[in-house]
Amino acid sequence: MMKIMDEVKGAKSIAVSGHVRPDGDCVGSVMGLYLYLKKEMPEAQVDAYLEKPAEIFGCIDHIEEIKSEVNTEQVYDVFIALDTAADRLGNAEPVYRRANKKINIDHHVSNRGCGDVSIVEPQRSSTAELLYDLMDPEKIDVQIAKAIYIGIIHDTGVLRYSNTSPRTLQIAAELVKFGFNFSEIIEETFFERTYLQTQIMGRAILESVRFMNDRCIVSMVSRRMMEFYRVTPKDLDGIVNHLQSVKGVDCSIFMYETGTLEYKVSMRSNGRVDVSAVALKFGGGGHVRAAGCTMNGTYHDNINNLSIEIAEQFKNE
Ligand code: 5GP
Ligand code: MN
């Protein structure tokens, strides 16, 4: 297996970035690699670009060094895109495309690879897990370990989703040996919610509707609701997972309004529906059991359009 240090050897400037609306795996991977490269290449300029991460990730060391403004002039020797293809790098995308060497590391089935070097392994639980195996274990320290651990637990639902493999657990075991307070990290970054986050989740669950013989469930949060509860999209993470835990549900859909007739859609499934294939039809992507896209149209039009694709899959059962 290739090692990340062989690919960046000699570089004087390196950038690391991940996808828009960064989740735990994205933030953990970017920070884990950023800290690793800074330590291993003290002479080089190393930058991490990302949309401002949610406050829960404040426990990751040096997270305040993440740059949200991109230096559009700079041509990096190496640019590493994590947990996504180039199209979701946000304002870092043009800088990525201009870099002398592009490296893409990801675990999304929907990613065909977009680098001079692309390592896309869909069987990996998380980009963070894959990154661990591209690093030299001897050179990992407690700060790097914590960042990678956060990436793994967020994408595996704390090591319980079916993407968790024996290798995932071995790596998690190696990481907790560093002695950080993993149970506090799990509680504070994964389970804990503010009162308002809990309220809007309650409302979304209360207003959910099942359809297709109760095999699907859907709910939505409008901009007005977000204003009423004084929450932002970051506060809506996790709602779709609660919908998916309803007994008998094969596929769940959650959407929130991002603009006039525009919704960000999150989907989950128990494996009976390939939600990555559904999301791909609408320009999104993801994994078989977790995917997303952005859709234009009314809430009900979007449900109808998604239903057609889901029904197509039920037909093939
Ligand atoms: P979530 O529903 O938690 O936002 O995302 C679930 C999975 O689908 C994640 O792996 C995420 O990266 C991916 N995903 C969500 N939205 C999009 C999208 O618009 N495009 C692509 N390509 N992937 C997405
Ligand atoms: Mn991921």
Side-chain angles (χ1 to χ4, degrees):
M1 190 164 186
M2 74 78 113
K3 290 288 172 194
I4 197 72
M5 287 314 291
D6 298 332
E7 296 297 329
V8 301
K9 215 179 284 161
K12 295 203 166 52
S13 60
I14 308 174
V16 181
S17 188
H19 57 79
V20 291
R21 301 178 226 266
D23 57 10
D25 185 28
C26 183
V27 177
S29 296
V30 166
M31 283 308 297
L33 184 55
Y34 169 72
L35 294 171
Y36 186 83
L37 291 174
K38 275 217 315 183
K39 193 167 134 209
E40 291 307 306
M41 304 185 75
E43 309 286 288
Q45 173 199 353
V46 183
D47 292 324
Y49 289 119
L50 212 52
E51 264 177 33
K52 195 175 173 354
E55 273 171 32
I56 47 170
F57 300 118
C59 58
I60 300 176
D61 300 275
H62 301 285
I63 191 134
E64 71 287 348
E65 291 172 22
I66 284 182
K67 296 178 166 57
S68 298
E69 293 298 318
V70 178
N71 177 359
T72 46
E73 301 298 303
Q74 176 138 16
V75 179
Y76 284 94
D77 290 337
V78 181
F79 197 125
I80 307 169
L82 297 173
D83 203 36
T84 183
D87 59 321
R88 286 211 303 148
L89 285 174
N91 54 12
E93 181 180 345
V95 188
Y96 176 76
R97 296 204 186 273
R98 210 183 314 120
N100 291 323
K101 180 174 184 179
K102 295 178 268 295
I103 301 179
N104 185 203
I105 301 171
D106 190 13
H107 72 131
H108 288 92
V109 248
S110 49
N111 181 0
R112 299 271 164 90
C114 66
D116 303 308
V117 178
S118 295
I119 306 153
V120 181
E121 298 190 1
Q123 78 283 6
R124 295 288 190 166
S125 68
S126 50
T127 298
E129 175 192 320
L130 173 54
L131 260 185
Y132 178 92
D133 277 331
L134 301 176
M135 292 175 175
D136 179 348
E138 252 93 85
K139 294 178 175 153
I140 294 175
D141 62 24
V142 63
Q143 298 186 349
I144 300 165
K146 208 159 86 176
I148 295 175
Y149 183 78
I150 288 175
I152 294 175
I153 61 159
H154 276 252
D155 258 23
T156 57
V158 193
L159 305 173
R160 80 184 195 279
Y161 298 155
S162 60
N163 60 0
T164 307
S165 69
R167 181 71 191 136
T168 319
L169 296 168
Q170 275 166 352
I171 293 172
E174 290 306 317
L175 294 171
V176 297
K177 283 185 195 164
F178 282 91
F180 52 81
N181 190 339
F182 68 87
S183 88
E184 190 177 279
I185 285 176
I186 292 171
E187 194 55 37
E188 292 179 1
T189 74
F190 194 82
F191 290 108
E192 198 173 86
R193 332 191 115 251
T194 64
Y195 183 57
L196 291 173
Q197 287 167 344
T198 308
Q199 280 198 312
I200 198 156
M201 175 184 278
R203 171 118 181 231
I205 293 171
L206 194 68
E207 292 180 0
S208 66
V209 174
R210 288 184 297 174
F211 59 105
M212 286 202 203
N213 292 326
D214 299 344
R215 295 181 67 181
C216 298
I217 189 165
V218 65
S219 190
M220 184 268 285
V221 165
S222 66
R223 276 191 292 179
R224 278 182 61 176
M225 279 159 75
M226 285 195 261
E227 279 161 27
F228 180 80
Y229 291 100
R230 281 170 281 140
V231 297
T232 64
K234 282 184 189 133
D235 298 308
L236 306 174
D237 278 356
I239 293 178
V240 69
N241 299 314
H242 279 265
L243 296 174
Q244 184 56 37
S245 35
V246 172
K247 193 172 161 80
V249 162
D250 291 330
C251 176
S252 48
I253 304 168
F254 172 73
M255 51 185 114
Y256 63 85
E257 204 180 357
T258 48
T260 308
L261 294 180
E262 188 190 90
Y263 290 87
K264 179 75 188 100
V265 179
S266 278
M267 288 180 281
R268 297 291 183 269
S269 98
N270 55 8
R272 297 215 174 90
V273 176
D274 177 354
V275 287
S276 169
V278 176
L280 262 174
K281 296 265 182 185
F282 302 99
H287 313 281
V288 171
R289 291 166 187 250
C293 57
T294 296
M295 292 179 82
N296 296 297
T298 66
Y299 173 50
H300 289 100
D301 282 344
N302 292 342
I303 298 175
N304 282 335
N305 290 327
L306 291 166
S307 299
I308 293 166
E309 297 302 328
I310 296 166
E312 204 55 43
Q313 293 199 22
F314 284 157
K315 231 173 23 190
N316 299 331
E317 276 178 340

